[in-house]
Amino acid sequence: MFSSSSNNLSKVHTSQTKFIQERIAGVEKHFGQICTSLGAYTRKTARLRDKGDEVSTALLRYGEVENLNKSLRSSLCETADTLAAVQDFRNVEVERLESRVVGELALYEGVCKSAREELKRSFNTRQQEMNHRRNLERAKSRHPQNRQQIAIAETKLQKATVEAKRACENIEEQMDQFEQRKVTDLKRILKEFIQTELAFHAKAVELYTKAYNQISNIEEEEDLEAFRNARDVFDAEFRNALKGDAAARAEVLGVGRGSSLSPVIKGPREKSESSKKRDPKKMMEKLKIEDYEEINGDTTSEED
């Protein structure tokens, strides 16, 4: 039967090992969750950067083909360049998050694995010490007269105790370093995350303000006036074309074919005897006069 001191020592070692294992497992779990969340955040930021590039490209394409509204064209092209600059800074943000935040957190998978292996080695060393202690107690209880066997057991126990003490000191030092590194690294990584976001958003506010002012430079009345002037030019050309090409219009209207669209010629079933005696030359002159009066009337109504 083993002494109560050996049992108590074993319980202490087991409790200490369990405590350290829980600390390592907690760091591994929560650092992993933080890393996963920030990784998703970084990927979404990268997708937002790509969509921002698409917006900038769409504005630029429109600005390049808009030849009538000068202020709109200028503002679109300038705004597109400014929004593209925003995405350039967002790209820097993504790269910094990947390398200085997510990448650093991902390293803790290996850090926790090393700490767990170190703890396992320490536990095995202390377990060997406990086994040698039990062997010595067993030898003393079963063979109290066998001094040689007891001496051998004591020697093995002394060596195991020295190794266990060294392992215990080592694991304590390792765990102190682990805990300190955990706190220091997490503080540094989160500060890097916040600084990266602050740097980007500060620059983004500056550039978005610039883009807002560029959009505000669009002159609606000036561009509308340019459109109206262009429209009036086309309207005038259309009227001139109608005035100078009455014969062509007569052809379109069906002169000589008995079209039901003709304002002068009746359909073949409605021709009267008097219409057969009409002079074609006089008909064309009358058509020109009617065309002019119709066009003149349209122009007068538009001016009114």
Side-chain angles (χ1 to χ4, degrees):
M1 185 175 180
F2 303 120
S3 64
S4 59
S5 61
S6 297
N7 292 332
N8 291 336
L9 188 59
S10 177
K11 290 179 180 179
V12 171
H13 288 170
T14 302
S15 299
Q16 185 181 24
T17 301
K18 183 179 179 180
F19 170 73
I20 296 175
Q21 285 177 336
E22 289 175 351
R23 295 296 298 173
I24 296 173
V27 171
E28 187 174 32
K29 174 185 175 181
H30 293 293
F31 269 59
Q33 290 175 347
I34 296 172
C35 182
T36 300
S37 299
L38 286 173
Y41 179 92
T42 303
R43 289 189 297 272
K44 288 186 177 182
T45 303
R47 287 196 291 270
L48 183 60
R49 171 203 59 198
D50 296 339
K51 293 301 179 182
D53 286 335
E54 292 179 10
V55 172
S56 174
T57 300
L59 294 179
L60 182 61
R61 287 174 178 173
Y62 183 21
E64 288 176 342
V65 300
E66 179 54 65
N67 296 321
L68 189 59
N69 302 139
K70 293 183 179 180
S71 71
L72 179 62
R73 171 189 174 90
S74 176
S75 294
L76 286 176
C77 292
E78 291 175 357
T79 303
D81 290 339
T82 302
L83 295 182
V86 172
Q87 306 318 314
D88 290 339
F89 282 100
R90 199 186 299 275
N91 184 62
V92 174
E93 174 196 13
V94 170
E95 291 178 350
R96 291 183 64 174
L97 290 176
E98 287 177 342
S99 60
R100 302 184 183 184
V101 177
V102 179
E104 292 290 329
L105 286 170
L107 295 176
Y108 261 79
E109 182 179 1
V111 173
C112 291
K113 182 178 179 180
S114 299
R116 191 178 293 106
E117 291 175 350
E118 189 66 29
L119 177 63
K120 184 178 180 180
R121 284 193 294 269
S122 176
F123 178 79
N124 291 337
T125 302
R126 288 189 290 183
Q127 192 62 38
Q128 289 178 2
E129 181 202 13
M130 295 301 302
N131 292 336
H132 287 298
R133 190 178 299 278
R134 291 191 183 98
N135 290 337
L136 177 58
E137 292 176 356
R138 188 183 296 112
K140 288 180 177 180
S141 62
R142 293 181 180 180
H143 308 283
Q145 303 299 326
N146 192 340
R147 302 300 304 169
Q148 182 177 2
Q149 184 177 359
I150 293 174
I152 293 174
E154 288 176 345
T155 301
K156 290 182 178 180
L157 176 60
Q158 289 176 356
K159 292 181 180 179
T161 300
V162 172
E163 292 178 359
K165 183 178 180 181
R166 186 184 301 114
C168 184
E169 292 174 353
N170 182 60
I171 193 62
E172 288 178 355
E173 181 181 354
Q174 292 290 333
M175 287 308 301
D176 284 346
Q177 293 177 359
F178 176 82
E179 287 288 328
Q180 183 178 7
R181 179 181 178 182
K182 172 201 71 177
V183 175
T184 302
D185 286 350
L186 186 59
K187 178 181 178 181
R188 175 179 54 81
I189 291 170
L190 293 180
K191 286 178 67 176
E192 181 66 34
F193 170 66
I194 299 300
Q195 287 175 351
T196 299
E197 292 300 293
L198 281 174
F200 166 73
H201 287 290
K203 194 64 181 179
V205 168
E206 176 185 341
L207 291 173
Y208 280 129
T209 302
K210 180 180 179 181
Y212 181 87
N213 293 330
Q214 290 168 338
I215 292 296
S216 299
N217 290 333
I218 297 176
E219 297 293 341
E220 297 95 327
E221 294 299 328
E222 179 182 324
D223 288 350
L224 180 59
E225 185 64 26
F227 166 75
R228 287 172 176 171
N229 292 337
R231 183 191 61 188
D232 291 343
V233 170
F234 284 113
D235 288 347
E237 290 178 354
F238 180 70
R239 295 190 190 99
N240 292 335
L242 288 177
K243 291 177 182 178
D245 198 10
R249 187 181 180 214
E251 182 179 355
V252 172
L253 293 174
V255 174
R257 296 194 302 271
S259 172
S260 60
L261 298 176
S262 173
V264 178
I265 307 299
K266 297 182 179 179
R269 295 183 182 179
E270 299 177 359
K271 286 184 178 181
S272 63
E273 290 296 325
S274 60
S275 67
K276 297 180 182 179
K277 299 179 182 180
R278 289 171 181 168
D279 187 349
K281 183 176 180 180
K282 293 180 179 180
M283 291 169 56
M284 290 298 297
E285 291 176 353
K286 183 178 181 180
L287 179 61
K288 291 181 180 179
I289 293 172
E290 291 179 354
D291 287 343
Y292 174 77
E293 291 176 349
E294 180 181 352
I295 293 169
N296 190 39
D298 292 344
T299 305
T300 304
S301 62
E302 287 181 8
E303 291 177 353
D304 293 338

